[in-house]
Amino acid sequence: MEVSIWIFLLLSVLKVIVVTVILLTAVAYTVLLERKVVGRIQNRWGPSRVGPFGLLQPLADGLKLFLKEDLMPESVYRPLFVLAPIIALACALMSISMIPFGDDIRYKGVDLFQISDVNIGLLILLAITGVGVYGIALSGWASNNKYSLLGALRASAQVISYELALGLSLVGVILRSQSLRLRDIVDVQATHGLLSWNVFGGFQFVAFFIYLTAAYAETNRAPFDLPEAESELTAGYHTEYSSMKFAMFFMAEYANMITVSCVATLLFLGGWSSPFGNLLPAIGGPIVQALLPVFWFVAKVFFFLFLYVWVRGTLPRFRYDQLMSFGWKFLMPLAVLNIIATSLWLAFRAG
């Protein structure tokens, strides 16, 4: 009995390490994807010198940031100045622990495709991502710099404004699946391929639009990147940061992009389920059958990441008053109307 417990603990720790390494590698190559795609949009090459097709550019960037001098301004409040990027990155990495990225396949009692499977996974995921803004807020205050403080205040106001709309947009999905467990939400969408996905079912295409827009704002991505608007605030909340402290904010931003894309995939695009449903016959052996859902999941997440980059390279930045008005006067009422419409539709179907 004791041996099996130790095997379970060893496999669990190994799984956490593997997922963390994969996530950090995905973060590095999401940066490369962005630079390549934006380069094409702007009719230039993007990174192409380091390694074949520029594929080693993330490694070179990481080494450069690691070897840079770590500057510490005299007037900062040191404990929180150091703690802020740690909070931002830790919350970004913790949130991925709730994400299932394949079928429920177990070995020695360990779920191979999810770190932590809890029945309120969606609620915990929203809580962790909400705490991440403390890293930004503390970095601005601890920097003792007016530009940094303004960027932190903008980020705090932006997260509060758009997190409400984001949370309300998910109520329709929860009503439809009758569960907060992410695997249950995916299972509801896995019956008839893409026709069962939430984005095409009922009124959830409206919720999908609200979620996507609010997610862009919550991750401080263009056209909602007001907290780090270089034309107004130098670099916003991370103006005073350098070396790996700056890199931690950078990694947290891209890790949050991946998390948001994973959640959108799970809630609206059927997670790891095939878009063809049961129309196609089963192919390959058990290993292929276990890895095929992971392929579908990764493909959908990649689509969302590409959409992130495409929006950044296409749309100009909002003014701050436009950003606030859009969140409170348009997205919030639309999210409430979506809940009412979804409730009526579900009641009509039940009756």
Side-chain angles (χ1 to χ4, degrees):
M1 184 67 177
E2 291 183 2
V3 174
S4 62
I5 291 173
W6 281 110
I7 291 174
F8 176 81
L9 290 174
L10 181 64
L11 288 173
S12 299
V13 171
L14 184 63
K15 180 175 66 171
V16 171
I17 293 171
V18 169
V19 170
T20 303
V21 170
I22 291 173
L23 177 62
L24 292 176
T25 305
V27 166
Y29 279 92
T30 302
V31 178
L32 181 64
L33 171 72
E34 180 170 43
R35 294 175 67 181
K36 282 282 192 182
V37 173
V38 171
R40 289 291 180 178
I41 290 172
Q42 297 172 351
N43 198 25
R44 54 186 176 81
W45 281 104
S48 59
R49 300 288 183 180
V50 186
F53 307 105
L55 290 176
L56 296 181
Q57 186 66 49
L59 179 63
D61 290 341
L63 286 173
K64 180 186 74 173
L65 285 165
F66 189 77
L67 295 174
K68 273 185 171 292
E69 183 181 0
D70 187 11
L71 299 173
M72 181 78 75
E74 289 184 2
S75 58
V76 302
Y77 184 67
R78 288 178 178 243
L80 293 182
F81 185 80
V82 174
L83 186 62
I86 297 173
I87 292 174
L89 183 58
C91 289
L93 295 179
M94 282 170 59
S95 59
I96 207 71
S97 65
M98 295 292 132
I99 303 292
F101 46 90
D103 280 330
D104 190 357
I105 298 174
R106 296 177 182 271
Y107 177 74
K108 301 287 186 181
V110 177
D111 188 345
L112 297 180
F113 295 129
Q114 187 175 13
I115 292 176
S116 179
D117 183 12
V118 293
N119 60 356
I120 53 169
L122 181 57
L123 201 60
I124 294 174
L125 195 60
L126 292 174
I128 293 172
T129 53
V131 171
V133 74
Y134 281 98
I136 295 174
L138 290 175
S139 69
W141 182 85
S143 294
N144 197 20
N145 177 304
K146 290 182 174 61
Y147 289 130
S148 299
L149 182 59
L150 282 171
L153 290 173
R154 281 185 173 188
S156 303
Q158 192 167 309
V159 166
I160 291 169
S161 302
Y162 281 85
E163 200 166 60
L164 289 170
L166 186 144
L168 289 174
S169 71
L170 304 182
V171 173
V173 173
I174 296 167
L175 288 172
R176 201 163 177 242
S177 61
Q178 298 292 305
S179 177
L180 288 166
R181 184 172 177 258
L182 292 168
R183 285 196 181 277
D184 291 343
I185 294 172
V186 173
D187 290 342
V188 170
Q189 305 173 71
T191 51
H192 303 295
L194 57 86
L195 295 178
S196 300
W197 294 355
N198 279 326
V199 69
F200 300 117
F203 294 89
Q204 299 319 301
F205 60 91
V206 177
F208 177 68
F209 165 75
I210 298 168
Y211 173 84
L212 210 57
T213 308
Y216 285 153
E218 196 161 319
T219 50
N220 298 326
R221 296 286 299 175
F224 301 97
D225 56 340
L226 274 299
E228 50 188 85
E230 67 280 352
S231 59
E232 306 161 22
L233 304 177
T234 310
Y237 57 89
H238 51 61
T239 298
E240 300 291 357
Y241 285 88
S242 60
S243 189
M244 283 308 293
K245 292 193 189 74
F246 170 77
M248 289 169 80
F249 279 119
F250 207 63
M251 288 189 289
E253 179 179 323
Y254 284 86
N256 284 326
M257 281 173 58
I258 293 171
T259 302
V260 162
S261 301
C262 290
V263 174
T265 298
L266 292 170
L267 300 186
F268 296 101
L269 293 191
W272 53 85
S273 63
S274 166
F276 307 107
N278 300 322
L279 296 177
L280 294 180
I283 56 172
I287 295 177
V288 174
Q289 287 299 309
L291 294 179
L292 195 58
V294 180
F295 165 76
W296 289 120
F297 183 81
V298 171
K300 294 170 188 176
V301 170
F302 181 83
F303 163 74
F304 278 110
L305 291 174
F306 178 79
L307 194 61
Y308 253 111
V309 177
W310 191 7
V311 168
R312 184 201 165 170
T314 306
L315 298 179
R317 183 182 292 137
F318 283 121
R319 293 198 318 264
Y320 199 72
D321 61 309
Q322 292 174 329
L323 176 122
M324 283 294 160
S325 295
F326 186 70
W328 287 104
K329 296 179 182 178
F330 180 72
L331 285 188
M332 275 283 289
L334 188 62
V336 173
L337 287 173
N338 179 68
I339 295 172
I340 296 170
T342 303
S343 303
L344 293 173
W345 177 69
L346 291 172
F348 177 76
R349 282 186 63 187

